[in-house]
């Protein structure tokens, strides 16, 4: 079983890296790009046999390590 965790900053949290990327895109000639928000993706190989248990484990991983839940949101996608 595999899991993909996508972590993004919550709305309203300043994103200086996103702003830097936006500025760089503009300077490269991509004028149509509006706001840029950056995030991170974790791909995990899990030993779990069932999706329900796997999702609970991954949620615990996010809460304890992968995401700073004060300023970040996360989403989980489980695939066989």
């Amino acid at each position: 079983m595999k899991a993909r965790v996508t972590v993004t900053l919550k709305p309203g949290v300043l994103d200086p890296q996103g702003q830097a990327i936006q500025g760089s895109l503009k300077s490269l000639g991509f004028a149509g790009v509006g706001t840029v928000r950056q995030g991170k993706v974790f791909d995990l190989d899990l030993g779990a046999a069932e999706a329900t248990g796997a999702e609970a484990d991954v949620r615990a991983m996010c809460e304890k390590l992968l995401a700073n839940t004060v300023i970040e949101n996360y989403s989980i996608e489980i695939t066989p």
Side-chain angles (χ1 to χ4, degrees):
M1 190 144 300
K2 295 182 183 218
R4 174 167 278 182
V5 177
T6 304
V7 180
T8 56
L9 290 169
K10 290 183 176 181
V13 175
L14 293 178
D15 186 358
Q17 186 175 3
Q19 291 173 339
I21 293 166
Q22 179 186 15
S24 295
L25 289 171
K26 261 188 180 174
S27 70
L28 291 170
F30 299 102
V33 177
T35 303
V36 175
R37 305 282 288 174
Q38 65 86 31
K40 49 194 168 187
V41 174
F42 299 94
D43 288 322
L44 307 168
D45 284 322
L46 306 170
E50 59 182 63
T52 307
E55 185 168 351
D57 287 346
V58 174
R59 189 167 305 284
M61 293 175 201
C62 291
E63 295 288 329
K64 292 181 179 181
L65 177 66
L66 300 179
N68 177 350
T69 57
V70 174
I71 61 168
E72 294 175 321
N73 292 321
Y74 62 87
S75 63
I76 300 169
E77 180 184 342
I78 304 289
T79 57

